[in-house]
Amino acid sequence: MKFLVPPKLVFIQFALSLLTVSCDQPEIIKDLNGRSFELLDQDSSQVTFPDDFRGKVTVLGFIYTHCPDVCPAITANMKNISEQLENPENVQFVGITFDPRRDTPSVLKKYMKQFNLDEEKFTFVTGDTSTVHSMLNTLNITAEISSKRTTGNGDTIYFMRHTNRISLMDKEERLRLEYSGSYSKPEHIVEGINKLR
């Protein structure tokens, strides 16, 4: 004997299934479509952010290479995340410097080598100061010089106070998740990546 499900009940079940799927996806924090920032990567190749990363889930880490504490922890965390991903082929890791004056492409390349980062998975970017600052403002990242001194040789040394964050951008260039960059457990961020995939 066949039982027919009333059309109204079918519609309700369908609507509930859509609601369940949409609730499982993180809310959009910021849509970056229409934004475009011309940057340079560690090889001095031009990068257009975020367009060049469209189609991949992108893990964004915000650092500067002269940082004595938080930034190395953020970078190490990103590396751990990449190593815990079971299928990393559709995920790109991007390090964005707060300090474009000192963090030239060659400095970023050296920094990546110190952490033994795979250049197939990782890209570190810099650019002119106004472009980088504009991009950081768009991403709600703050960074400012907190202490500065001049050495006997006339060199200026400074450190920066900055946002401690790793962000996830989906395949459609939308920021979806944000984490404490140095403290969040890699497995929690991997879980977020898998949700966006």
Side-chain angles (χ1 to χ4, degrees):
M1 175 182 283
K2 291 184 178 179
F3 292 94
L4 296 175
V5 180
K8 189 174 182 181
L9 185 57
V10 171
F11 174 77
I12 291 170
Q13 288 173 336
F14 176 70
L16 286 173
S17 70
L18 285 180
L19 186 61
T20 303
V21 170
S22 63
C23 287
D24 195 40
Q25 283 294 310
E27 290 185 15
I28 297 170
I29 297 169
K30 180 165 288 223
D31 191 339
L32 299 174
N33 281 281
R35 304 294 183 115
S36 185
F37 302 95
E38 299 300 325
L39 306 166
L40 294 174
D41 70 9
Q42 70 274 3
D43 295 317
S44 297
S45 298
Q46 187 167 319
V47 173
T48 302
F49 180 87
D51 297 352
D52 286 353
F53 305 105
R54 188 173 183 84
K56 293 186 176 183
V57 173
T58 307
V59 182
L60 305 173
F62 304 91
I63 59 95
Y64 74 109
T65 63
H66 289 73
C67 181
D69 43 32
V70 175
C71 299
I74 292 171
T75 306
N77 208 7
M78 291 176 72
K79 183 178 181 181
N80 290 334
I81 294 161
S82 74
E83 290 172 348
Q84 288 190 25
L85 277 174
E86 291 184 11
N87 300 302
E89 57 275 358
N90 289 321
V91 180
Q92 184 67 36
F93 292 81
V94 179
I96 300 174
T97 182
F98 302 117
D99 189 14
R101 282 182 286 182
R102 293 185 293 185
D103 288 343
T104 61
S106 61
V107 170
L108 291 176
K109 193 168 185 75
K110 183 178 177 183
Y111 182 80
M112 289 178 67
K113 284 183 178 177
Q114 289 172 346
F115 285 89
N116 196 26
L117 300 178
D118 181 351
E119 290 195 33
E120 291 294 316
K121 298 178 186 175
F122 284 83
T123 301
F124 274 63
V125 294
T126 187
D128 67 73
T129 303
S130 62
T131 300
V132 170
H133 288 172
S134 176
M135 179 175 62
L136 293 174
N137 286 337
T138 298
L139 297 171
N140 295 321
I141 301 293
T142 59
E144 59 186 7
I145 294 173
S146 58
S147 64
K148 182 190 288 191
R149 66 183 176 87
T150 304
T151 67
N153 298 333
D155 297 327
T156 300
I157 297 174
Y158 60 87
F159 296 97
M160 303 184 78
R161 183 184 304 111
H162 58 81
T163 304
N164 176 7
R165 185 178 299 161
I166 289 175
S167 300
L168 298 186
M169 183 172 70
D170 69 16
K171 296 177 182 182
E172 286 78 40
E173 303 175 11
R174 300 172 300 187
L175 286 182
R176 300 294 286 269
L177 291 165
E178 295 177 336
Y179 303 86
S180 168
S182 60
Y183 295 115
S184 294
K185 292 182 179 180
E187 55 267 29
H188 292 162
I189 301 177
V190 167
E191 184 181 328
I193 293 169
N194 288 332
K195 276 187 180 180
L196 295 183
R197 292 201 290 185

